[in-house]
Amino acid sequence: STPSNSSAASDVYKRQTLDFQLQKDIEALLKSYVRSLKEWEITNAAALVMDNESGEILSFVGSADFFDSSHQGQVNGVTSLRQPGSTLKPFTYALAIDQGMTAATLIEDTQIHIQVGGVEYLPKNYDGKFHGLVRLREALACSYNVSAIRVLEKIGVDSLLRKLKELGFTSLDREANYYGLGLTLGNGEVTLLELVRAYSTLARAGIF
């Protein structure tokens, strides 16, 4: 059907940046990837490809199979809210470097006790170990949870939340005390679109 406002619609179409062949390739790749993870009970995935220089979205795949209603195929995984896990740690460290730390700064990766709503929380690393003094570059590369929390203690949750909002994470709409130190470990919900846009800012050396 022809849009009622053809000139406006034409203007929108002119701004589309999807690469048709890349889109087809990513759709096929995503389906194959999900099939390969079937034994792990992974049933769906989403993907977004962005040109870091221009910010243009080249491929946008919201699910592995749009018509697979048994696995929420019509839920758009690119724009749906999900907890991002460790993907916010690089922004914690980037802000710390902005505030005077360097890649060689030593950080304590030792047991820490945190009070959350009157309950004591003892964060652990994925490998179940503590690593003593580690350099910032090592803490980031190994994705140590405890180190990230130690750094966030120094720079402040308010400061990180403010920076994340500057980077386009509008989904993080609660106050800093709602997230607490767990913000760097991904206890807030964001979208894949927000993540990709923020990571492209890192690729452009901080230019949003």
Side-chain angles (χ1 to χ4, degrees):
S1 61
T2 303
S4 57
N5 188 339
S6 58
S7 61
S10 173
D11 186 47
V12 169
Y13 296 148
K14 288 177 183 177
R15 293 200 300 269
Q16 300 306 311
T17 58
L18 294 183
D19 181 310
F20 179 66
Q21 186 57 52
L22 180 64
Q23 177 74 12
K24 291 202 303 181
D25 291 344
I26 295 297
E27 288 176 2
L29 185 66
L30 209 61
K31 286 182 180 179
S32 174
Y33 180 67
V34 169
R35 280 197 300 269
S36 73
L37 296 174
K38 188 176 181 179
E39 63 178 298
W40 300 99
E41 298 184 1
I42 303 296
T43 59
N44 209 343
L48 187 69
V49 179
M50 178 179 284
D51 183 311
N52 288 328
E53 186 175 352
S54 67
E56 294 176 342
I57 294 174
L58 304 180
S59 178
F60 184 124
V61 186
S63 68
D65 185 351
F66 180 83
F67 299 101
D68 185 359
S69 57
S70 61
H71 296 120
Q72 298 181 309
Q74 293 172 24
V75 173
N76 189 337
V78 173
T79 57
S80 296
L81 292 173
R82 298 292 300 274
Q83 287 193 334
S86 294
T87 58
L88 297 185
K89 288 176 185 172
F91 305 107
T92 302
Y93 290 118
L95 183 58
I97 289 172
D98 279 349
Q99 294 187 6
M101 291 188 184
T102 72
T105 297
L106 289 170
I107 304 164
E108 282 188 61
D109 190 76
T110 55
Q111 190 173 72
I112 184 172
H113 299 257
I114 300 172
Q115 292 291 326
V116 181
V119 178
E120 190 174 60
Y121 167 52
L122 280 70
K124 296 181 180 179
N125 294 315
Y126 185 75
D127 62 5
K129 302 175 183 177
F130 298 106
H131 304 274
L133 285 175
V134 297
R135 298 199 183 279
L136 186 150
R137 61 168 68 91
E138 180 185 354
L140 174 57
C142 296
S143 193
Y144 293 147
N145 293 334
V146 177
S147 300
I149 287 176
R150 293 277 189 188
V151 169
L152 186 53
E153 272 192 315
K154 295 181 187 301
I155 65 176
V157 179
D158 280 303
S159 182
L160 176 60
L161 182 59
R162 189 162 51 249
K163 177 59 66 177
L164 291 173
K165 288 181 177 180
E166 288 174 6
L167 290 170
F169 286 98
T170 57
S171 297
L172 296 172
D173 55 2
R174 303 292 190 98
E175 298 297 322
N177 59 7
Y178 173 82
Y179 303 108
L181 294 170
L183 179 61
T184 189
L185 304 184
N187 69 356
E189 293 186 323
V190 304
T191 70
L192 178 59
L193 179 59
E194 289 172 331
L195 273 172
V196 171
R197 186 170 52 190
Y199 268 83
S200 73
T201 302
L202 292 177
R204 289 190 300 272
I207 306 299
F208 180 67

